[in-house]
Amino acid sequence: MRRAVCPGSFDPVTNGHLDIVGRASKMFDEVVVAVLINTSKAGLFTVEERQEMLAEVTAPYANVRVDVFQGLLVDFCRANDVSAIVKGVRVAGDFDYELQMAQMNYGLGAIETLFMPTNPKYSFVSSSLIKEVAKWGGDVSPHVPDLVANLLRERLVKPGN
């Protein structure tokens, strides 16, 4: 079985993330969307909330499952018989950072990384930007699944915004 992982913090998941997951699901027998547990960083949503959001919004893809991990991605890959990491890249800066990670992952565990250019309509979308816009009451609904837009409104928008 050809299995790939799409790792990230997904705080929150965006339509750009889902585009990469959907495209990867056509290339692999199974895609694992792996939510990173990063104890040194406080997220807007808990890991459990992110896992639940992802499970709901990836439900249309029969060969996608959601999991969580902490530590080295290569260890997660070994434990789950994953042979490839799929990463979306929006801009050159993403590529510079992700290339270093890919080379380290290959050196640590001979895990290949595949880079997918982001669909141009999502090239400016990031979880950080989505949270900033939502915090000030901006409409993020074109950039995230409806479930996420609603949760962001509940969590971030203050009365009067």
Side-chain angles (χ1 to χ4, degrees):
M1 174 181 277
R2 296 173 317 155
R3 185 174 290 131
V5 64
C6 290
S9 58
F10 304 103
D11 188 37
V13 62
T14 68
N15 289 341
H17 292 129
L18 292 177
D19 177 60
I20 298 298
V21 169
R23 289 162 54 197
S25 75
K26 295 175 186 171
M27 299 171 59
F28 292 92
D29 299 319
E30 183 179 41
V31 173
V32 182
V33 177
V35 180
L36 171 66
I37 300 171
N38 185 347
T39 55
S40 65
K41 201 172 174 182
L44 176 63
F45 295 100
T46 67
V47 170
E48 294 78 16
E49 288 171 324
R50 288 181 260 159
Q51 188 175 14
E52 289 170 16
M53 278 189 273
L54 281 159
E56 186 166 330
V57 299
T58 61
Y61 304 107
N63 64 333
V64 172
R65 70 178 170 90
V66 180
D67 204 344
V68 297
F69 78 101
Q70 185 172 11
L72 295 176
L73 181 56
V74 294
D75 292 340
F76 177 86
C77 290
R78 278 191 210 109
N80 289 275
D81 193 30
V82 171
S83 60
I85 300 164
V86 176
K87 297 293 289 192
V89 289
R90 296 168 299 181
V91 295
D94 286 354
F95 181 76
D96 290 343
Y97 174 77
E98 294 297 347
L99 180 60
Q100 291 176 356
M101 295 296 291
Q103 290 169 329
M104 181 61 78
N105 287 331
Y106 189 80
L108 290 172
I111 306 293
E112 296 289 353
T113 299
L114 304 174
F115 298 114
M116 281 191 185
T118 300
N119 182 318
K121 66 183 177 182
Y122 306 123
S123 64
F124 65 93
V125 176
S126 70
S127 294
S128 299
L129 184 57
I130 292 297
K131 288 185 283 194
E132 185 67 17
V133 171
K135 178 173 88 173
W136 296 105
D139 181 16
V140 297
S141 60
H143 312 296
V144 296
D146 290 342
L147 167 72
V148 175
N150 291 335
L151 290 170
L152 284 166
R153 272 191 293 279
E154 290 172 14
R155 180 88 32 113
L156 291 175
V157 177
K158 310 288 186 264
N161 275 2

